[in-house]
Amino acid sequence: MMVTSTFPVLPQTSIQRATQEPNWVRWLLIALAFAFLTLFLFIPLISVFYEAFKKGADVYLAAITDPDALSAIKLTLTVAAIAVPLNLVFGVAAAWAIAKFEFRGKNLLITLIDLPFSVSPVVSGLIYVLVFGLQGWFGSWLAEHDMKIIFAVPGIVLATVFVTVPFIARELIPLMQAQGTEEEEAAVVLGASGWQTFYKVTLPNIKWGLLYGAILCNARAMGEFGAVSVVSGHIRGSTNTMPLHVEILYNEYNFAAAFAVASLLALLALITLVLKTLIEIHNKKNLKERGEK
Amino acid sequence: MSIEVLNLSRKFGNFTALQDVNLQVNAGELLALLGPSGSGKTTLLRVIAGLETVDNGQVLFHGEDATDQHVRERQVGFVFQHYALFRNMTIFENVAFGLRVRPKEFRPSDKEIQSRVIKLLQLVQLDWLAHRYPHQLSGGQRQRIALARALAVEPRVLLLDEPFGALDAKVRKELRSWLRRLHDEMHITSIFVTHDQEEALEVADRVVVMNEGKIEQIGTPDEVYEHPASPFVYEFLGNVNSFHGRLYHGRLWIDDLEIKTHRHLANDEETAAIAYIRPHEIEVLKADDDETGIAAKVSQVTALGPIVRLEVTRSNDREKTPVRVEISKEQFRELQLVKNDAVFIKPKRINLFSPSKEKIHISDFVI
Amino acid sequence: MITLKQHSILPGFNLALGFTLVYLSLIVLIPLSAAFLRTAELTWPEFWSIVTTPRVVASYRLTFGASLAAATVNVVFGLLVAWVLVRYHFPGKKIVDALVDLPFALPTAVAGIALTALYAGNGWIGQFLEPLGIKVAFTPLGIFVALTFIGLPFVVRTVQPVLEDIETELEEAAATLGANRLQTFMRVIFPVIFPALMTGFALAFARAIGEYGSVIFIAGNMPMVSEITPLLIITKLEQYDYAGATALSVVMLVISFTLLLIINLLQWWSRRRSSKT
């Protein structure tokens, strides 16, 4: 029988429980873990906001309302608004095929979906240069038709889509596999069409997983640096995303402005973590309720 | 080694697992802790092992206070309900574990460990599985390995938590008698927890019946079965018919059925009473020659194995509460009973309890 | 004829799988194959000389060395953090648990400039290290710091669920058999979590090898000293040396795929080891 004791960690009685370490060991381990996390996590996070506001709120506001900054924010939002829905549709389609059907080569397919995670961001950008760049496969054809993908917005979108391909699919696949096919089969037997089955049975069951994947996908899409850096061309006010804008400001020794824009991205990261935690809490509660029923 | 438990109490939040429990375990006996889930039996076992702390009370090993002793130092052998075998170790290494983790000055040599482990594996008749891993064994085999592992440290006490709970019926019966034989050979003080009354009555020297954190009764299997100390014990050990009635002037009234007793109770006031009658302690007759039977009708017949189970309803019971009766197959054949037959039933023994759970000893009665 | 899929009454298989394959091909497979096909235009000696110049070899050494060191530190402290989060109660535990994922959520460029500012000679942390003669920013040590940051969540998140799943009974059994806590940890707990620990290590290592954004700010990017391989690819690209950049990226891809294979094997091993019998 487990008793969840709240703080402090000291047991109620003087003797030590069989599966507990002595108190001094526990406090030592907690202290060590905190020291490590403080050094590598908490201080870097705090320093972003500190550096951003070091020169005062005026400088901060000026930095984030600068026309170049605003255009970078706009581009970042645009890219995410294209990349996330695309990968959402892909994630649902891939998870439907993988989780609801048995077919040969399934494991290979799962591995292929995970592939972009293991590719260096720089290489992710480079491969698009090789395909669409001036020296690339379609380079001369694109030039003839006066179309630009590399060093333009479409390249940024493509590179972002590439690095975020796995996020939603890998969230949905295990979830839908665990749910099995019984409910969908029941719906089909009761006469529902394919789309009806999906909307009325599958979608309500996966909506939280979908949201979870979309939030993580969005965070990466807005924050991607390496891949986007290769294909962007760094044209101020036109092909600069927020992370690239941070880099330019930083390299110009305009630290306060760089950290001001960075603080927006850090805020996005924090919001992502909060939403992610809320969904996890919700899922845990759901699971518990289902278990009790 | 003897064990004494004195005034033991343990709460988990608002839940009282043990409430002022006192128990004396004699050296060399095999004791069963029997009760429904939540009765505190497993908590009591874990307190004796040192796996659980106490709020109040003492545990004495051989007269010495062991309450604050760490489980490591208590030298108890504990067999877990789900065996808790280490899955990354072979069977041999599982059994050897307790010897290998001893401080250097007490650790036997590799050769000695080898021979002791093999001896134990032979004792549980599984030496041929020494180099397998736990997941390659059946449930019954794992159970025996868990026992061998617990015995390897030469425990002063052997504690078993629902030792047969996770096994199927046939293996359970085999292991039961095997454990009894093993205990008779080794004579190590042993306590096992079970919720299965048949298991407790069949295997143990003495049975401790627990309910809601308290001990209801301690006694030999015969004592607790034949002379239950409380309605709870009565109902927990086997089937029983209960009748709510009233008692006054030495007579028991169940509805309008009157049962006379020879003993005159001191109080002349009417008191409520519950009468318990075991199904096999009811006689079934076709004819009521001495006019002492109760008229009834057979409502259901289940003929399974050597015992035939009947359900009858008393003729003047308006609510038609079924009374369960068990008779032998031979009796059943003699009576040639079918559904809706009119019969007379005659309780051979009645135990009365007042609602305050106090026992009223009346077994000599006439109707 | 061998059928691709087993019979099912559910609709949409062809549509879903078809879309998945087309999308994957367009976005992932065809562009990736471009790297290999463009490299195939080189002869083997040409390729070999590009990927083994001293400057490139120095970048491999640095990338691998720093990644290995960072992943190792993350194994030790990741296990510690996972242990503390699973086993102990302390105020703010939920917040700490959520913040462990920060390196996943924080854009790498932000991490890069923040760490650089901290470890520079006048930074919060750098000002204490400089007098001791320890220079972090703009040295290989800085790369190690950045890679430790971005790899931090991997070990924690692979070990945490395995640790949560270990039955208390196993540890109690070890205690009744006379083992102390250290023995119980080394002999009973550690073998169970070891595959997960290795998986976390491999994931952190693989991530570190390819990392770019957080490193370039703090590295100093001195050829032969603090120049990582991904940066070298960008440098070659900016000099319009497409062949060189592509050859290097193929080397990186081969390394990534090998690591991916190893990670898959480790995960399979981990599931087998920690599955209850």
Side-chain angles (χ1 to χ4, degrees):
Chain A
M1 196 169 301
M2 278 295 298
V3 213
T4 43
S5 65
T6 45
F7 185 77
V9 284
L10 297 151
Q12 290 129 332
T13 46
S14 61
I15 88 154
Q16 190 193 325
R17 292 277 305 269
T19 53
Q20 281 174 346
E21 295 75 36
N23 268 323
W24 68 270
V25 173
R26 288 200 264 173
W27 284 117
L28 181 70
L29 294 180
I30 292 175
L32 277 173
F34 256 94
F36 174 74
L37 292 176
T38 305
L39 195 61
F40 279 96
L41 218 58
F42 306 148
I43 292 184
L45 180 64
I46 294 165
S47 77
V48 173
F49 293 98
Y50 172 78
E51 297 280 345
F53 286 102
K54 201 161 72 172
K55 298 229 169 109
D58 298 345
V59 178
Y60 182 86
L61 276 177
I64 59 172
T65 52
D66 175 76
D68 287 348
L70 286 177
S71 112
I73 293 171
K74 212 178 115 196
L75 180 59
T76 293
L77 293 176
T78 312
V79 170
I82 301 170
V84 175
L86 275 178
N87 281 327
L88 201 74
V89 174
F90 166 75
V92 170
W96 180 266
I98 287 168
K100 304 290 177 187
F101 299 93
E102 286 306 319
F103 58 93
R104 298 199 304 161
K106 193 177 188 168
N107 285 329
L108 181 68
L109 184 60
I110 296 175
T111 311
L112 285 180
I113 291 172
D114 264 352
L115 213 53
F117 270 162
S118 59
V119 175
S120 169
V122 170
V123 178
S124 311
L126 174 80
I127 54 175
Y128 283 99
V129 175
L130 294 179
V131 176
F132 299 112
L134 213 52
Q135 315 227 347
W137 286 345
F138 304 112
S140 44
W141 185 86
L142 286 169
E144 273 166 35
H145 293 78
D146 207 21
M147 282 195 281
K148 233 179 156 193
I149 290 184
I150 298 306
F151 305 140
V153 175
I156 296 175
V157 172
L158 279 174
T160 306
V161 170
F162 177 93
V163 295
T164 53
V165 158
F167 278 98
I168 294 166
R170 69 150 37 188
E171 212 53 60
L172 290 185
I173 292 168
L175 179 69
M176 282 166 74
Q177 275 177 333
Q179 286 171 352
T181 56
E182 269 185 21
E183 285 183 40
E184 281 82 6
E185 281 168 354
V188 170
V189 170
L190 291 169
S193 74
W195 289 113
Q196 282 173 324
T197 305
F198 178 74
Y199 276 117
K200 294 188 186 234
V201 178
T202 311
L203 201 58
N205 278 339
I206 61 167
K207 61 178 183 224
W208 289 100
L210 213 56
L211 188 63
Y212 191 88
I215 287 168
L216 297 185
C217 181
N218 178 64
R220 182 69 193 270
M222 290 192 174
E224 178 52 28
F225 178 75
V228 171
S229 169
V230 174
V231 294
S232 127
H234 304 92
I235 306 160
R236 271 196 157 179
S238 147
T239 62
N240 250 0
T241 61
M242 288 169 77
L244 296 177
H245 191 60
V246 168
E247 186 198 17
I248 288 179
L249 291 171
Y250 191 85
N251 287 343
E252 287 170 350
Y253 301 103
N254 192 352
F255 294 143
F259 275 102
V261 179
S263 75
L264 293 180
L265 290 168
L267 198 64
L268 168 78
L270 288 179
I271 293 170
T272 303
L273 292 184
V274 169
L275 291 176
K276 180 178 167 289
T277 309
L278 287 180
I279 295 177
E280 279 165 7
I281 290 170
H282 174 270
N283 283 350
K284 219 177 240 173
K285 222 161 71 191
N286 243 7
L287 208 70
K288 219 174 154 189
E289 273 166 18
R290 239 172 249 184
E292 274 162 13
K293 274 176 198 169
Chain B
M1 192 191 65
S2 66
I3 303 169
E4 249 175 293
V5 169
L6 301 171
N7 311 318
L8 216 57
S9 294
R10 178 68 164 109
K11 273 188 173 187
F12 296 104
N14 291 327
F15 176 74
T16 306
L18 293 174
Q19 199 181 336
D20 204 21
V21 168
N22 287 282
L23 177 64
Q24 164 85 40
V25 187
N26 303 324
E29 82 172 326
L30 179 54
L31 190 82
L33 298 180
L34 174 67
S37 62
S39 61
K41 55 191 194 304
T42 295
T43 307
L44 179 56
L45 192 79
R46 289 170 59 86
V47 165
I48 292 171
L51 291 172
E52 205 66 70
T53 54
V54 294
D55 299 334
N56 254 318
Q58 276 184 305
V59 178
L60 306 184
F61 278 12
H62 204 69
E64 277 171 45
D65 189 356
T67 320
D68 288 339
Q69 214 175 24
H70 194 274
V71 55
R72 270 199 300 281
E73 285 124 32
R74 288 198 193 189
Q75 258 189 297
V76 294
F78 200 100
V79 177
F80 291 83
Q81 187 176 2
H82 301 289
Y83 326 127
L85 295 180
F86 306 126
R87 52 178 165 264
N88 55 303
M89 299 178 201
T90 60
I91 297 309
F92 181 93
E93 285 303 323
N94 261 285
V95 178
F97 184 90
L99 301 172
R100 291 212 198 278
V101 296
R102 281 191 187 172
K104 242 198 177 101
E105 58 268 39
F106 303 111
R107 195 184 308 157
S109 68
D110 272 356
K111 230 176 113 186
E112 211 181 318
I113 291 177
Q114 173 89 19
S115 75
R116 274 167 70 174
V117 170
I118 293 295
K119 221 177 260 168
L120 278 163
L121 288 175
Q122 281 164 349
L123 180 75
V124 298
Q125 298 154 2
L126 290 175
D127 47 327
W128 51 286
L129 291 175
H131 299 292
R132 300 264 181 95
Y133 283 88
H135 70 265
Q136 296 169 304
L137 270 58
S138 72
Q141 288 170 336
R142 279 182 221 169
Q143 179 58 268
R144 285 190 276 166
I145 294 303
L147 191 63
R149 185 178 70 175
L151 290 173
V153 294
E154 294 168 324
R156 301 187 289 174
V157 193
L158 189 61
L159 306 170
L160 306 100
D161 185 9
E162 296 272 3
F164 314 115
L167 300 169
D168 59 55
K170 189 167 171 282
V171 181
R172 198 182 315 176
K173 283 207 164 147
E174 282 168 18
L175 272 186
R176 237 190 245 168
S177 50
W178 176 78
L179 178 70
R180 180 69 241 184
R181 284 198 306 277
L182 195 74
H183 181 264
D184 290 343
E185 276 171 40
M186 311 202 24
H187 271 296
I188 174 168
T189 312
S190 306
I191 306 176
F192 74 99
V193 157
T194 180
H195 62 267
D196 181 342
Q197 38 108 357
E198 200 183 313
E199 197 168 287
L201 299 178
E202 193 182 308
V203 180
D205 294 324
R206 285 198 304 154
V207 178
V208 177
V209 186
M210 294 188 69
N211 182 36
E212 291 176 345
K214 285 186 257 182
I215 292 178
E216 293 272 340
Q217 189 175 8
I218 307 176
T220 63
D222 193 55
E223 279 166 6
V224 292
Y225 188 78
E226 296 296 336
H227 306 286
S230 68
F232 172 82
V233 179
Y234 228 124
E235 283 180 23
F236 194 69
L237 293 180
N239 290 327
V240 71
N241 296 299
S242 63
F243 302 93
H244 289 262
R246 301 174 326 276
L247 191 68
Y248 63 90
H249 289 303
R251 285 178 171 79
L252 172 69
W253 292 85
I254 299 167
D255 297 335
D256 40 13
L257 175 71
E258 184 191 2
I259 297 170
K260 289 178 203 144
T261 68
H262 286 315
R263 207 169 69 184
H264 285 268
L265 294 160
N267 65 325
D268 279 350
E269 275 171 44
E270 181 178 323
T271 50
I274 307 169
Y276 286 96
I277 309 168
R278 292 233 187 260
H280 67 270
E281 289 174 337
I282 295 175
E283 215 177 331
V284 180
L285 303 164
K286 275 249 158 158
D288 188 22
D289 298 332
D290 54 359
E291 292 184 351
T292 56
I294 304 160
K297 200 164 88 174
V298 177
S299 57
Q300 200 176 320
V301 180
T302 318
L304 259 180
I307 283 169
V308 178
R309 298 204 163 98
L310 305 176
E311 267 182 21
V312 302
T313 45
R314 285 182 291 119
S315 304
N316 48 4
D317 175 14
R318 279 173 298 263
E319 277 152 39
K320 302 276 177 222
T321 326
V323 178
R324 278 174 294 185
V325 182
E326 286 176 5
I327 56 174
S328 70
K329 199 132 211 172
E330 283 128 50
Q331 277 175 295
F332 179 68
R333 254 185 239 122
E334 270 170 39
L335 291 166
Q336 291 184 324
L337 289 175
V338 288
K339 209 174 158 179
N340 292 331
D341 271 359
V343 290
F344 295 92
I345 55 173
K346 234 181 186 180
K348 287 180 270 190
R349 201 159 67 107
I350 299 177
N351 265 301
L352 284 181
F353 292 91
S354 74
S356 61
K357 289 185 182 177
E358 227 175 284
K359 193 176 177 184
I360 309 165
H361 283 284
I362 303 175
S363 19
D364 46 347
F365 62 91
V366 286
I367 295 176
Chain C
M1 200 187 108
I2 304 161
T3 50
L4 181 70
K5 113 186 146 98
Q6 289 175 16
H7 176 74
S8 166
I9 64 158
L10 295 182
F13 175 72
N14 290 333
L15 179 67
L17 188 68
F19 179 77
T20 303
L21 292 177
V22 169
Y23 188 92
L24 263 189
S25 303
L26 288 179
I27 299 289
V28 179
L29 299 178
I30 294 173
L32 270 181
S33 68
F36 290 93
L37 292 173
R38 288 300 285 267
T39 305
E41 291 165 13
L42 296 171
T43 65
W44 181 250
E46 277 173 337
F47 174 77
W48 189 249
S49 72
I50 290 171
V51 300
T52 56
T53 63
R55 188 172 166 188
V56 172
V57 171
S59 83
Y60 294 152
R61 201 174 291 145
L62 175 67
T63 307
F64 271 83
S67 301
L68 205 63
T72 308
V73 165
N74 274 323
V75 163
V76 175
F77 285 93
L79 173 59
L80 177 67
V81 170
W83 179 272
V84 165
L85 286 178
V86 171
R87 297 296 175 113
Y88 304 147
H89 295 274
F90 51 88
K93 175 169 150 166
K94 285 231 166 81
I95 297 169
V96 173
D97 197 353
L99 274 179
V100 165
D101 280 333
L102 182 71
F104 283 161
L106 193 70
T108 51
V110 179
I113 63 167
L115 290 171
T116 311
L118 283 177
Y119 285 92
N122 56 357
W124 282 356
I125 301 174
Q127 60 178 325
F128 299 109
L129 297 175
E130 204 95 319
L132 304 173
I134 304 169
K135 277 193 162 194
V136 179
F138 317 121
T139 69
L141 204 54
I143 300 176
F144 158 78
V145 168
L147 296 182
T148 305
F149 174 83
I150 56 130
L152 192 148
F154 288 102
V155 173
V156 180
R157 293 303 185 227
T158 47
V159 171
Q160 216 174 358
V162 181
L163 215 45
E164 272 166 4
D165 275 359
I166 291 184
E167 307 98 312
T168 345
E169 277 198 351
L170 284 180
E171 290 169 53
E172 288 178 345
T176 61
L177 294 167
N180 61 36
R181 280 309 283 164
L182 190 64
Q183 285 170 323
T184 305
F185 179 80
M186 293 309 291
R187 288 164 181 262
V188 178
I189 302 172
F190 191 74
V192 177
I193 59 174
F194 182 68
L197 209 54
M198 284 296 97
T199 309
F201 171 81
L203 286 168
F205 181 68
R207 173 72 203 268
I209 293 273
E211 178 57 16
Y212 173 71
S214 59
V215 174
I216 50 152
F217 294 99
I218 203 171
N221 307 324
M222 298 250 299
M224 306 296 293
V225 179
S226 58
E227 185 180 54
I228 54 167
T229 313
L231 178 66
L232 208 49
I233 295 177
I234 294 225
T235 310
K236 284 186 186 292
L237 208 56
E238 280 169 354
Q239 295 162 349
Y240 301 104
D241 179 5
Y242 283 83
T246 313
L248 276 187
S249 69
V250 163
V251 173
M252 301 250 348
L253 281 174
V254 169
I255 293 165
S256 304
F257 294 163
T258 313
L259 283 170
L260 185 66
L261 183 74
I262 292 171
I263 290 164
N264 277 341
L265 287 174
L266 282 170
Q267 279 171 336
W268 172 78
W269 181 37
S270 178
R271 270 198 300 274
R272 236 184 58 153
R273 177 62 76 88
S274 65
S275 68
K276 286 172 194 143
T277 47

